[in-house]
């Protein structure tokens, strides 16, 4: 209960107050110590590939969506030197990029199934670490028994270069596995392409993206270069924009 409240609430003091309302009297230091120790045990179990699951946590015959991405957060790291005038330890607030993952299940209409609680996790061990964690989840959930598996991501090199190894999971039928760039990043890259056309104002370009980009992304009936031709309303792109266009279109973000 202590660890669950620590994950859900905004501060240890708030956790203390909620526990007090439930008749459990613990200090902030004890709450932090219990939470950290629980997190260390949970991580050790995950790294050992022994992910605890409930009976309903199975992917058998289900449509599975797997996604991973990089985040951005600041870590409080202790700084050497004297304490502040208030007796507080100085610290660095360096920005770090955690790698995150989510595994969820959807129905035939693409809506998330409420009967399956998504698995959300992450870490600071880089791309190899997050994919190793993802592999552990996949094996524990018996992903090879899933009806269909869809990998959705932004197309970054650190993701797409590692997905093939994950697809080669023993027993996983590659014909039931699909890869797709997520809608937001796809629309973002096409917006950059639209920005190469300088003879239209920003408002007109945005209107054109809404009318063409999003519609074609949803239907997925046009190939990339066919879409570009329609976007620019010409059969060939100018030589001046050709190199920039290719670089923008193929950029992993």
């Amino acid at each position: 209960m202590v660890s669950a409240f620590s994950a859900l609430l905004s501060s240890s003091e708030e956790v203390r107050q909620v526990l007090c309302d439930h008749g459990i009297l613990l200090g902030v230091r004890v709450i932090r110590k219990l939470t950290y120790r629980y997190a260390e045990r949970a991580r050790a179990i995950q790294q050992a590939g022994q992910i605890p699951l409930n009976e309903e946590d199975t992917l058998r015959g289900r449509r599975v969506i797997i996604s991973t991405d990089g985040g951005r957060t600041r870590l409080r790291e202790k700084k050497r030197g004297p304490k502040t005038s208030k007796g507080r330890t100085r610290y660095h607030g360096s920005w770090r990029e955690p790698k995150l993952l989510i595994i969820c299940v959807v129905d035939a209409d693409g809506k998330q199934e409420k009967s399956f609680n998504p698995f959300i996790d992450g870490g600071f061990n880089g791309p190899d670490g997050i994919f190793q964690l993802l592999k552990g989840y996949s094996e524990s959930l018996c992903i090879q028994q899933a009806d269909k598996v869809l990998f959705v991501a932004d197309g970054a090199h650190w993701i797409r270069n590692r997905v093939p190894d994950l697809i080669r999971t023993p027993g996983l039928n590659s014909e039931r596995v699909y890869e797709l760039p997520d809608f937001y990043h796809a629309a973002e890259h096409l917006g950059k392409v639209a920005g190469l056309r300088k003879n239209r104002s920003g408002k007109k370009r945005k209107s054109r993206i809404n009318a063409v980009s999003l519609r074609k992304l949803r239907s997925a009936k046009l190939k990339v270069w066919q879409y570009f031709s329609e976007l620019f309303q010409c059969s060939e792109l100018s030589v001046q924009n050709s190199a920039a266009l290719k670089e923008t279109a193929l950029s992993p973000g």
Side-chain angles (χ1 to χ4, degrees):
M1 179 182 291
V2 175
S3 300
F5 282 140
S6 296
L8 292 172
L9 301 178
S10 58
S11 67
S12 298
E13 177 59 30
E14 189 174 354
V15 174
R16 187 194 67 78
Q17 294 176 0
V18 172
L19 291 174
C20 184
D21 294 339
H22 285 76
I24 303 175
L25 302 179
L26 294 176
V28 171
R29 290 187 177 180
V30 176
I31 291 173
R32 289 176 179 170
K33 186 177 293 185
L34 290 173
T35 303
Y36 292 155
R37 287 184 177 178
Y38 184 88
E40 290 174 358
R41 290 177 60 187
R43 181 60 66 191
I45 292 174
Q46 287 181 342
Q47 292 176 347
Q50 302 173 354
I51 301 174
L53 302 172
N54 298 323
E55 292 183 0
E56 61 272 16
D57 293 334
T58 176
L59 301 179
R60 183 190 298 272
R62 288 177 160 177
R63 295 176 173 87
V64 184
I65 293 181
I66 300 176
S67 183
T68 183
D69 200 355
R72 197 162 185 256
T73 187
R74 299 184 75 170
L75 293 184
R76 184 168 177 160
E77 301 172 346
K78 291 184 178 181
K79 182 180 180 180
R80 286 186 175 183
K83 294 185 177 182
T84 64
S85 58
K86 295 183 179 181
R88 297 174 180 173
T89 303
R90 300 178 186 274
Y91 65 91
H92 295 284
S94 304
W95 286 102
R96 297 280 300 277
E97 180 179 335
K99 303 300 183 184
L100 311 171
L101 68 86
I102 182 172
I103 302 175
C104 62
V105 171
V106 297
D107 58 21
D109 297 324
K111 296 182 179 180
Q112 186 173 324
E113 285 193 8
K114 296 182 179 180
S115 61
F116 184 91
N117 292 323
F119 285 84
I120 303 174
D121 208 338
F124 291 94
N125 297 326
D128 290 334
I130 195 65
F131 269 85
Q132 185 64 32
L133 184 60
L134 184 56
K135 183 178 179 181
Y137 274 113
S138 300
E139 293 176 351
S140 299
L141 292 168
C142 299
I143 194 174
Q144 64 272 17
Q145 298 178 0
D147 179 33
K148 295 178 181 179
V149 180
L150 172 62
F151 289 93
V152 182
D154 61 6
H157 292 294
W158 71 268
I159 298 176
R160 68 174 183 232
N161 291 343
R162 290 173 172 82
V163 169
D165 292 335
L166 196 63
I167 294 177
R168 287 192 285 269
T169 299
L172 182 60
N173 187 351
S174 60
E175 295 181 357
R176 294 180 298 173
V177 180
Y178 305 87
E179 299 178 57
L180 189 70
D182 69 84
F183 182 84
Y184 173 81
H185 285 91
E188 179 185 10
H189 293 317
L190 293 177
K192 293 179 181 178
V193 173
L196 296 175
R197 183 167 182 173
K198 301 301 182 182
N199 61 340
R200 282 187 174 180
S201 65
K203 188 174 182 180
K204 288 184 177 180
R205 286 198 299 267
K206 184 176 180 180
S207 176
R208 184 63 176 167
I209 292 172
N210 291 336
V212 180
S213 302
L214 307 186
R215 174 166 52 86
K216 297 308 180 184
L217 280 171
R218 288 192 178 99
S219 62
K221 291 181 179 179
L222 289 185
K223 294 182 179 180
V224 175
W225 287 103
Q226 290 175 328
Y227 162 78
F228 290 156
S229 297
E230 182 174 348
L231 179 66
F232 281 78
Q233 291 183 333
C234 60
S235 59
E236 294 182 0
L237 299 172
S238 65
V239 176
Q240 182 179 1
N241 286 334
S242 179
L245 176 61
K246 291 182 179 180
E247 182 179 355
T248 302
L250 300 177
S251 172

